[in-house]
Amino acid sequence: LADSINSRMPEHVVALVADALNDAGRAINGSNVLVLGVAYKPNIDDVRESPALDVLTELLARKAAISYHDPYVPRIAVKGQAFISQPLTAAALAAADCVIVITDHQDFDWAWVRQHARLIVDTRNAVRGAGPAGSARVVSL
């Protein structure tokens, strides 16, 4: 049962993203989605069996414009497409229609992320209690 639930979690995350974007008056198709963390677990560079790959695959299928930042994973390939970890800047966070927290690396300044993002889907409860909310709407699992 646990394996069945875990295997459906990436679809659930993307559904949360779609619902949150719809609430903001946007479709997932064409939206800029920034994924924070693609490693299997925090503070490592291993992406084998990472749920982030399934989330990215589903986002691509729904035609989202995706990018990611992971200080431990400089490059990944998803469905034959190569992606390079983008610098995490205030401008990148502000430009994202939605930021998805997949891997909660200790290197991330969650209060700063929360301050600059507009919409965050937080799968790790990383931004909860991370300083003032700013203008970010946070959706948790």
Side-chain angles (χ1 to χ4, degrees):
L1 179 62
D3 186 48
S4 175
I5 291 169
N6 286 339
S7 68
R8 289 192 312 255
M9 193 54 69
E11 292 173 10
H12 177 65
V13 169
V14 173
L16 285 175
V17 170
D19 289 345
L21 285 168
N22 284 339
D23 289 346
R26 296 200 46 95
I28 198 167
N29 184 341
S31 287
N32 293 317
V33 179
L34 173 62
V35 174
L36 296 184
V38 295
Y40 179 70
K41 62 183 183 178
N43 311 316
I44 65 167
D45 64 358
D46 191 356
V47 296
R48 290 175 297 164
E49 299 184 31
S50 173
L53 300 178
D54 295 327
V55 169
L56 290 169
T57 297
E58 184 67 23
L59 288 168
L60 284 173
R62 293 183 181 214
K63 298 183 179 11
I66 60 172
S67 59
Y68 84 95
H69 174 78
D70 191 309
Y72 297 92
V73 183
R75 292 176 182 81
I76 58 170
V78 179
K79 289 295 200 188
Q81 284 188 263
F83 292 91
I84 296 173
S85 179
Q86 299 300 306
L88 186 58
T89 64
L93 288 166
D97 297 307
C98 182
V99 175
I100 308 173
V101 177
I102 302 279
T103 309
D104 53 343
H105 294 304
Q106 289 178 345
D107 296 12
F108 291 131
D109 180 345
W110 297 114
W112 182 81
V113 168
R114 191 172 180 171
Q115 179 183 2
H116 295 286
R118 291 182 279 162
L119 172 63
I120 302 170
V121 173
D122 185 0
T123 69
R124 299 292 178 201
N125 287 324
V127 299
R128 180 178 54 189
S135 61
R137 177 174 171 238
V138 179
V139 176
S140 299
L141 287 181

